[in-house]
Amino acid sequence: KPLVQIFLKFVKRLRRGFFFFWNVVFIILYINFTIENKIIFDKILDVFKEGARIMANIKSSKKSIKTDKVQTIANNTYAARVKNSIKRCENAIKAKDTELASAELKTFIADIDKACSKGLVKKNTCARQKSRLNKKVKEMSK
């Protein structure tokens, strides 16, 4: 047990280092996985998770962490909207329903333009996807 305590102190010091994760990986590679070492491995993972929960000290950094979370959620909803509208439009094309396909195309164009303006989709990607779906809908209506 004293060996385990010394080892954990060493790992906690490494947590503050830049290459903490890789140091732990190399240490784990040298350990033979017996039952006692499995316990050590679990404690190392707990220390690593604890290090990941450490928050910033500066007020602006704390605020940016919060705003990043909110912005990530918003970005994910915009991206999901685009993907879902593509799927709905493709399904309408497969079902050969021209009215539904043209309606879904309009919603898709609105969604992808919004995502493009937010910087989630590049301008050329936006134009390419719009033109491909538009071409499919026009071919279907002929």
Side-chain angles (χ1 to χ4, degrees), residues 24-120:
V24 170
V25 169
F26 288 124
I27 290 168
I28 292 168
L29 289 175
Y30 285 107
I31 295 174
N32 293 327
F33 285 100
T34 61
I35 294 172
E36 183 181 343
N37 292 332
K38 172 78 170 102
I39 294 168
I40 294 172
F41 177 72
D42 291 339
K43 288 186 179 182
I44 291 169
L45 286 180
D46 289 342
V47 170
F48 181 66
K49 289 175 186 172
E50 178 187 330
R53 285 194 304 257
I54 292 174
M55 248 184 101
N57 294 324
I58 299 168
K59 189 176 181 181
S60 62
S61 298
K62 289 179 183 179
K63 184 179 178 184
S64 68
I65 289 170
K66 290 178 184 177
T67 56
D68 286 348
K69 287 180 185 176
V70 172
Q71 196 60 44
T72 301
I73 292 168
N75 289 346
N76 289 341
T77 57
Y78 284 122
R81 251 188 231 169
V82 170
K83 289 177 186 176
N84 290 335
S85 59
I86 288 173
K87 288 176 192 173
R88 283 195 302 267
C89 193
E90 290 283 346
N91 289 337
I93 291 168
K94 284 180 186 175
K96 297 184 180 180
D97 188 357
T98 55
E99 291 176 10
L100 182 63
S102 60
E104 290 297 335
L105 180 67
K106 285 181 183 178
T107 58
F108 164 71
I109 288 172
D111 290 340
I112 200 163
D113 283 339
K114 185 81 164 179
C116 187
S117 70
K118 299 285 183 185
L120 298 174

